Structure formats: structure tokens, C-alpha cells
Amino acid sequence: MSTQSSVVTSATELRAYAPTADLTVSPPPSRIERARPRTGTSPDNLRTEPGPIRFIIIALAVTFLSVFVVLPLVVVFASAFSKGIGAYLTALGEPEALAAIKLTLLVAAISVTLNLVFGIIAAWAIAKFDFTGKTFLITLIDLPFSVSPVISGLVFVLLFGAQGFFGTWLQANDIHILFAVPGIALATIFVTFPFVARALIPLMQEQGTQEEEAAISLGASGLQTFFRVTLPNIKWGLLYGVLLCNARAMGEFGAVSVVSGHIRGETNTMPLLVEILYNEYQFVASFAIASLLAMLALITLVVKTVLERRLDEGQEPSDH
Amino acid sequence: MTIEVKNIVKKFGSFAALDNVDLKVDQGELLALLGPSGSGKTTLLRIIAGLDWPDAGEVLIDGENALARGASERHVGFVFQHYALFRHMTVFENVAFGLRVQPRAIRKDEATIRARVKELLDLVQLDWLSDRYPSQLSGGQRQRIALARALAIEPRILLLDEPFGALDAKVRKELRQWLRSLHNEIHVTSIFVTHDQEEALEVANRVVVMDKGRIEQIGSPGEVYDNPATAFVHGFIGESIVLPVDVSGGSVRLGGRPLNIAANGAASGASKLFVRRHDMQIGPAGSGSLEGAVRHVRSFGPIQRAEVALSGGEGKTIIEIDAPRDRELQAGEIVSLQPRRYRIFAAHD
Ligand SMILES: Nc1ncnc2c1ncn2[C@@H]1O[C@H](COP(=O)(O)OP(=O)(O)OP(=O)(O)O)[C@@H](O)[C@H]1O
Ligand SMILES: [Mg+2]
């Protein structure tokens, strides 16, 4: 572990390492963009560069990926198991670690569920209806992607903090939002809102309203239409959005850090605990938790690949 | 069941897609709605089905105000322009859909539903496809499944929006005969949209011709063809020769030269003379009111189609006429032409 402390020297740098789940969490590319290479020029047609240049480009890409993605992953697992598997399991069995895992799962469950519902509603509204302010709504959905997570967290501090907008009222009624589970959940919901909506909007826009209209004219009620026609048509896209939403919810650091208050055993999520343990020189414990997040990232990656394949199959034109 | 549409107005912004449309469809009738693209055919069907709402007017289905009900309660079978089959369901489940979503109180048991679906698939002659998905069907097969699906709910009326629009000519022809005989069998009141005039004339009992959100004429196929009510209908149904003429005091002139035909009560002023291609009588030079040089002749089947450049008048007017083959025409020959049957409409459009 002597080399490792020279690699990582401060908490700020650790941030680049610790919430490894971030590896997979970028805004979902629009389905249309991803589908394009299937119909456009095939990669073979692009092989016009001479051999050496091609080699250099590929080598650069591979090196870059190794240094910035594979290496950190290896370091995380190597550090986690540096004192053997026994120490690793002990570290994960600590009450503080268990509390963090539980809290992370709880927050992820809450925010994924709510964002699932909000995401479907927002995507439905945007894809299937025309109304004034639609463009504004689309922009608004992307807002969490364009502001720094720390700012997102701060917004909730400004709203619910002791000096905040609702602060006095909350205190008078003894309601705890900040430095408690509701605050963490709110911040996470905010940060992860775009994933489901962004995965669904292009899909629903492409499918249009024809099948829904057919269902209604055949006598189906609104709910029957949704569960029998709309939902089955978007299920893979929905799973895709939920998967990314979940990965981000579990891995979120910045926004949660601001609203959590870092109360040990109570308001520390896994990414927060990784940082705390690391700052206390408990490297094995720190990286043991980080390894869980890294595994989540890897699983997410695999499932995502499978889902993308499903989505592309679902794209096959069905009525022309 | 009858359908009655009264003074329907439908606007998209300030554009009137339907402008005071009035229509009555009788029990068991197969009515064709014919018109160019954008004339409001789909919009009218959607309003009858309850998928769109008019800005003004009434829709009565069997004498009952349909606008008081949503689409799911109207029991209207709708076959969409692009089929709109449920892509994640098999053919069987597509057809069964309308039966499965019925309120529990009247829903049939599984065995009855299966038997009914089988019966419908037999009717459209596609029972062997019941386990396929829509993406695995040809266009004509999808169309027939869409029809079976609409029929499953035993609709009070059936609306077909360009059901054969996306198919090739041969399949269209087969399907339209098939639809005709199917309608003879089940006799459900139906409206059938098309922009193909031949299709409308062949399939329907009555034809409604629409243009720019208005109904131009309603009549039997024979009536709209032989007695077009407006210039638009004459031009739209069947090929016509159109000549700009002047009517004054009962005489008709083309480019200043009098034509030997009666004005038939047409108002004085700039007008248009409409003649069907085969209604131009061809005679030796000097025998008719129009004269021209044959430029080109093509013969096929029982007719010969000749391109004739009319002489006189300003500029060169070239028309195409159909003549029987009993007298072979030669390119370069000067012939005279006399309209046998014709119509004169005011030239304001
Ligand atoms: N949702 C809409 N918003 C705005 N304009 C519309 C809408 N739907 C239809 N229109 C307009 O109303 C007019 C009639 O459309 P409609 O779809 O009824 O035509 P159609 O006769 O069915 O044509 P086609 O033969 O091409 O299917 C068109 O000019 C169209 O642009
Ligand atoms: Mg249409």
C-alpha cells in the first residue's frame, strides 16, 4: 500500500476514484443517435486511413481507457483485498458500513421509484401531447445534468436549512429534512431525475400515439391502454433508464455530501463513507466499500449492454 | 346503424380542415370518401370515431349523440391508415385485444374469445399466421389483421382509412374485391376513405367527393362520373379535357371562334368546358367545331389515344383523346373534333 498513498494524496483526488459507479453514469445517448450507425455507413467503409495511423489511434484510445478506467478499477480491488479476504469481510461487516449500505439502498429505492413515475409522466406529456411551454419543460428536465451536483445540494440547504426558506417553519413543526434521510432522498431524486425521462422521450416520440388510439377505439380504458399497450412498448427503454438512474443514485457524492451532515451510522451513504474512512487512513475499509460501488458499476455496464441490444431489436420497423 | 354528421367544423389554428361538413350514411351502406391529399378525410373519420373533437357541429350514430361519448365507448371499428397493430402482440392477441379489455361483467370466457378470434382469422383467411408478430407480416396481411381486429368488437360502424393505401396495385385490387364481398357478407355500415377514384367507384354504393374540407358531391359512382356537380369533381373523377371558353347569350366560344355546342344554361362569362377523352367525336376535317393536327398516336387494347394540337385560338393547345380503333388515325392528319357529351362550369377556380 506504500505506492497507493503516493497515487492518492488528498480527498479531492480520491473523488476521482471513489464513486466508481460514475463510470457508467453519463446521460443516456438518445436512441436515435445510437441507432444511426445501423442504417448509415458501416464502419468498414470508414477504413480509409493508412495502417500506421490507424494503429496509433487505436493504441491511444486503448491507453487512455486503461489509464483512466481500468487502472483505477484495479487499484480499488487491489487495495480492498490488500490485507486478505478476512479483513475485507470484517470491514464490510462493521455497523457503520452496514448502515451506509442500508441507507444507500433505501435512498436508491425511493428515488428510483419516484423518478420512474415522474419520468414516465414527463416523457408521456412531452412525447404524446402538444402544449405551450413544451420546449421549456424539455430544457428543465436536463437541468440536473447541467448544474454541478454541489449546487443541487445547496439548493436544498437554502430551502430547508435553519436559515433557509422553510427553515423556521420546519423547526417549529419538528420536521427534519436536512441532515436526515428526506434531504438525502430529495437531493438524489433531483440529481437522477433526467435518466428515466431521457431514455423514454425519444422512444415514445418515435412510437407516436397510433397504437394507443387503436386500443381506445377497441374499447380499452386509459389504464388498460397504458398497461397493455404503452408500457410493453417502452419496457426496455424504461429498464434502461431505471438502471442508469439507480447507478447514479447509489453513486451520487456531491449533492448528497452537502445535505447529509455526515452523521456517522445515520446519514452517511456509501460514497460518503468511502471518503470518511479514507481520510481516517482506514484504507482497506474505504476501498472495500468502494469495491461494492465498483461492482455495481460493472454489473450496470453488463446489463446496460444487454438492454441496448434489446432496444435495438425493438427498433426494427414494425409497420413498413 | 346509421351515421349522421351535421355541420361539422374542425380547425387547426386558423386553418379549417373541415368546413361545414354534412353527411348521412344509411344502414348497411358502404360509402367511399374520396378526395385529394389534405382534403380532410382522415380528420372526418377521426371525429366520427371520437379520436378528435369538432369545433362545431353534431355527430349522431344511430340517432344518438356520439359526441357525448369518448372513443372507447362508441363501438366504432377503426382501421388506421398505417395499420397501428400492437407490435409486441402476436396476430392472435392483436385480434383478441378488443375482447380482452371488455368490462368484466360482459367479458367472455377464454374459450369463447379463442373461438371468436379463430373465426375472425378464418374470415380474413389468415388463421395460419396467428402466432406471428406484426413485423413478420406483409403489408396486405397486416391490413387484413387490422380489419379482423376492428371487427372483433362487433362494431356498430366500421371506418377504414385508406386501407389499401400502402399496397401495390395488384394486391389492392384483390383486397378491394375481397372487402366488397366481405361487406356483402357482414353488412356493417362502413365508411371507406381513399384517394384512388377507381377504388371508390369499384367498391362503394355511394361516393362522397371532398375537397379542401368541403363536400363537393355525394352520389352513386355512376352519378359522380356522369354528372359531376362541380368543376373540381369533373376534374378529379376520371380524366377530362379542359378548355377555356367564353359563354355569352347561349353561345360558346373558344379563342373567339364559336363552337357548335349549346351552353346548356351556363351563365355568361369566362368558363371551362369539360369533355371526357372518349366523348370527343372524331371526323374528317371541316365537319366539327374544333380542328387540329394529330401529333402522335398510341394504340392499346380496343382504343387509340391521340395527341391533337388544336388550331386557332392563341397559343397551342394540346389535348389527348381516346378513339375507337375502327378508324386508324395517322400522325400529321388533320381532324375535326366535336364534343358529344360535355359540361360547362364557371371559370372562377
Ligand atoms: N393535428 C393537426 N394539426 C394541424 N393540422 C392538421 C392536423 N391534422 C390534420 N391537419 C391538416 O388538416 C388537413 C386535412 O388533413 P387530413 O389528415 O384529414 O387529410 P386527408 O384527406 O386524410 O389526406 P391524406 O389523403 O393525405 O391522408 C391537412 O391540411 C392537414 O395538414
Ligand atoms: Mg388521411
Side-chain angles (χ1 to χ4, degrees):
Chain A
M1 271 306 87
S2 54
T3 56
Q4 180 251 319
S5 49
S6 68
V7 175
V8 182
T9 47
S10 72
T12 347
E13 272 179 53
L14 176 77
R15 202 163 294 162
Y17 273 46
T20 331
D22 272 359
L23 279 181
T24 57
V25 183
S26 55
S30 109
R31 306 228 30 77
I32 293 157
E33 275 165 38
R34 233 175 323 110
R36 193 165 297 141
R38 294 159 47 82
T39 51
T41 332
S42 87
D44 297 80
N45 298 347
L46 296 175
R47 280 194 195 150
T48 51
E49 303 302 331
I53 294 186
R54 208 193 311 160
F55 176 78
I56 292 173
I57 291 175
I58 295 173
L60 271 177
V62 171
T63 315
F64 189 86
L65 270 178
S66 313
V67 170
F68 287 95
V69 180
V70 180
L71 194 62
L73 267 177
V74 171
V75 170
V76 167
F77 283 100
S79 309
F81 289 103
S82 62
K83 298 262 165 60
I85 197 147
Y88 177 80
L89 291 177
T90 318
L92 290 183
E94 292 290 334
E96 236 181 286
L98 288 178
I101 294 172
K102 249 188 244 165
L103 179 62
T104 301
L105 291 177
L106 175 69
V107 168
I110 295 173
S111 45
V112 168
T113 312
L114 289 179
N115 276 338
L116 178 75
V117 177
F118 296 157
I120 291 178
I121 293 173
W124 186 294
I126 287 170
K128 312 233 166 176
F129 301 117
D130 273 320
F131 52 93
T132 39
K134 186 161 150 171
T135 340
F136 181 66
L137 187 61
I138 296 175
T139 316
L140 216 55
I141 285 179
D142 281 341
L143 185 70
F145 281 158
S146 50
V147 298
S148 154
V150 177
I151 310 287
S152 312
L154 273 177
V155 171
F156 291 97
V157 173
L158 290 176
L159 282 177
F160 303 119
Q163 271 79 50
F165 198 67
F166 299 113
T168 340
W169 185 84
L170 289 173
Q171 257 170 354
N173 290 279
D174 199 26
I175 299 172
H176 301 281
I177 292 188
L178 225 51
F179 312 136
V181 177
I184 299 175
L186 278 175
T188 310
I189 290 170
F190 179 81
V191 171
T192 57
F193 177 77
F195 289 101
V196 174
R198 284 270 296 245
L200 291 185
I201 290 169
L203 197 62
M204 287 175 116
Q205 271 175 337
E206 180 198 285
Q207 291 178 349
T209 48
Q210 287 217 337
E211 287 185 41
E212 277 85 3
E213 287 182 344
I216 287 171
S217 80
L218 288 167
S221 66
L223 276 182
Q224 283 173 322
T225 304
F226 178 74
F227 283 107
R228 287 169 185 258
V229 176
T230 310
L231 202 55
N233 274 346
I234 59 169
K235 67 180 173 213
W236 297 117
L238 192 64
L239 272 177
Y240 183 83
V242 161
L243 181 82
L244 295 192
C245 180
N246 179 61
R248 179 68 187 263
M250 291 191 172
E252 176 56 24
F253 182 89
V256 170
S257 174
V258 176
V259 296
S260 131
H262 305 274
I263 306 169
R264 307 203 83 145
E266 275 185 40
T267 63
N268 277 332
T269 60
M270 288 164 73
L272 298 187
L273 190 62
V274 171
E275 189 203 24
I276 289 173
L277 292 173
Y278 187 83
N279 285 345
E280 292 172 350
Y281 303 103
Q282 304 190 38
F283 298 127
V284 170
S286 165
F287 279 99
I289 309 250
S291 75
L292 291 183
L293 290 171
M295 266 186 290
L296 169 74
L298 293 175
I299 294 170
T300 302
L301 211 60
V302 171
V303 179
K304 180 170 166 270
T305 314
V306 173
L307 284 180
E308 274 169 4
R309 204 164 296 158
R310 280 295 189 147
L311 271 166
D312 281 345
E313 276 164 24
Q315 292 242 305
E316 230 86 297
S318 72
D319 54 9
H320 290 292
Chain B
M1 304 280 161
T2 61
I3 308 169
E4 230 176 312
V5 170
K6 289 185 182 166
N7 304 320
I8 289 285
V9 176
K10 172 71 185 174
K11 294 200 162 145
F12 292 109
S14 61
F15 170 80
L18 290 177
D19 187 4
N20 240 331
V21 169
D22 250 313
L23 181 62
K24 198 166 182 305
V25 191
D26 298 328
Q27 163 64 35
E29 190 176 15
L30 177 53
L31 183 90
L33 205 54
L34 179 63
S37 191
S39 54
K41 307 180 296 286
T42 299
T43 308
L44 180 57
L45 282 205
R46 290 174 59 84
I47 286 173
I48 296 173
L51 298 172
D52 247 325
W53 299 85
D55 296 308
E58 275 184 273
V59 177
L60 305 178
I61 297 180
D62 225 19
E64 182 189 283
N65 178 15
L67 295 180
R69 294 166 179 265
S72 62
E73 296 163 344
R74 287 196 198 175
H75 269 280
V76 169
F78 202 117
V79 177
F80 292 83
Q81 200 162 356
H82 300 291
Y83 324 121
L85 292 176
F86 305 124
R87 67 189 86 187
H88 66 280
M89 292 183 203
T90 60
V91 161
F92 186 93
E93 286 305 320
N94 262 281
V95 178
F97 186 89
L99 301 171
R100 294 205 192 283
V101 296
Q102 280 180 334
R104 191 153 292 150
I106 57 166
R107 195 184 307 156
K108 317 237 180 356
D109 60 66
E110 182 65 20
T112 318
I113 292 180
R114 295 200 147 265
R116 173 89 183 119
V117 173
K118 172 104 185 28
E119 197 180 300
L120 284 160
L121 288 175
D122 281 340
L123 183 72
V124 297
Q125 299 153 12
L126 289 178
D127 51 325
W128 52 287
L129 288 177
S130 61
D131 294 328
R132 296 244 196 122
Y133 284 88
S135 60
Q136 301 166 320
L137 303 181
S138 75
Q141 290 166 343
R142 283 178 207 174
Q143 196 50 263
R144 282 187 277 166
I145 296 302
L147 186 57
R149 181 179 70 174
L151 290 174
I153 59 169
E154 289 172 35
R156 302 194 291 168
I157 57 179
L158 187 60
L159 307 175
L160 305 115
D161 193 358
E162 300 206 28
F164 314 136
L167 306 175
D168 67 57
K170 186 162 175 294
V171 181
R172 288 175 82 110
K173 198 139 190 143
E174 275 168 28
L175 278 180
R176 79 170 81 126
Q177 280 156 5
W178 174 82
L179 178 70
R180 180 73 259 185
S181 58
L182 181 77
H183 184 261
N184 285 341
E185 213 171 302
I186 58 177
H187 263 301
V188 56
T189 308
S190 310
I191 302 183
F192 164 86
V193 164
T194 176
H195 59 231
D196 178 338
Q197 33 126 344
E198 198 187 321
E199 199 162 281
L201 300 182
E202 192 173 313
V203 173
N205 312 51
R206 271 201 311 159
V207 178
V208 175
V209 185
M210 285 185 73
D211 183 38
K212 300 191 184 111
R214 293 173 159 278
I215 290 182
E216 294 274 323
Q217 187 173 6
I218 305 179
S220 70
E223 270 163 19
V224 294
Y225 188 87
D226 293 328
N227 282 311
T230 63
F232 170 80
V233 177
H234 207 307
F236 188 69
I237 309 262
E239 307 265 4
S240 302
I241 299 163
V242 188
L243 295 171
V245 292
D246 269 306
V247 178
S248 62
S251 78
V252 183
R253 290 164 180 273
L254 173 69
R257 268 179 37 174
L259 296 179
N260 189 17
I261 56 176
N264 288 346
S268 294
S271 305
K272 282 179 181 168
L273 174 70
F274 282 80
V275 189
R276 300 273 181 219
R277 276 179 182 165
H278 55 85
D279 282 335
M280 274 293 192
Q281 172 99 41
I282 300 179
S287 64
S289 27
L290 289 163
E291 214 161 66
V294 176
R295 285 160 44 103
H296 185 77
V297 186
R298 269 177 307 147
S299 299
F300 41 87
I303 62 158
Q304 48 188 338
R305 178 158 300 167
E307 232 177 69
V308 179
L310 295 184
S311 45
E314 62 266 28
K316 219 176 202 171
T317 311
I318 296 169
I319 60 175
E320 273 194 336
I321 55 171
D322 287 346
R325 292 186 70 170
D326 48 10
R327 177 179 176 284
E328 297 287 337
L329 293 171
Q330 304 294 327
E333 191 181 340
I334 304 291
V335 292
S336 83
L337 302 170
Q338 178 68 34
R340 255 189 308 243
R341 294 163 49 95
Y342 57 92
R343 305 267 304 188
I344 298 170
F345 295 101
H348 50 70
D349 56 1

